[in-house]
Amino acid sequence: MVVANYWRGSRPDLAELQKFEIDRHGNIAHPEGNAPCPEAELQAVQTWVKDYVGRCSQVIRNLDAMVRQDCPQVYQLFLTKAPP
């Protein structure tokens, strides 16, 4: 439940992110499933993930480094590209 609250609390108020659903366990789903993601939506998700990691980093020390080490593809995709 804490994870879900952090995801909800860090979600920017952007139209591109309103379709995403967050269940009580923190799982995130999109009603269109695995459909290709438009560039604007991808950039909005990148912003959201950066905000989430930033918020969680206030509680979990070195979270950014842990993600970089343990999930390099996620880090590369979401945390290294600058949103517009």
Side-chain angles (χ1 to χ4, degrees):
M1 191 141 187
V2 172
V3 172
N5 289 338
Y6 269 69
W7 275 118
R8 286 186 192 101
S10 61
R11 179 169 41 187
D13 188 23
L14 300 172
E16 295 86 0
L17 299 177
Q18 297 311 309
K19 293 179 184 177
F20 287 87
E21 300 167 357
I22 307 165
D23 72 14
R24 66 188 197 113
H25 302 290
N27 298 309
I28 301 172
H30 192 282
E32 295 173 20
N34 293 330
C37 186
E39 185 65 26
E41 192 171 83
L42 178 59
Q43 290 174 347
V45 170
Q46 288 172 330
T47 299
W48 186 11
V49 171
K50 284 183 180 191
D51 290 350
Y52 174 80
V53 170
R55 187 171 177 168
C56 291
S57 293
Q58 295 173 352
V59 178
I60 303 170
R61 291 186 202 169
N62 302 323
L63 179 61
D64 187 72
M66 291 186 330
V67 172
R68 183 173 48 246
Q69 179 180 340
D70 297 339
C71 307
Q73 292 174 328
V74 171
Y75 186 85
Q76 180 68 30
L77 180 61
F78 292 112
L79 299 173
T80 60
K81 298 177 182 175

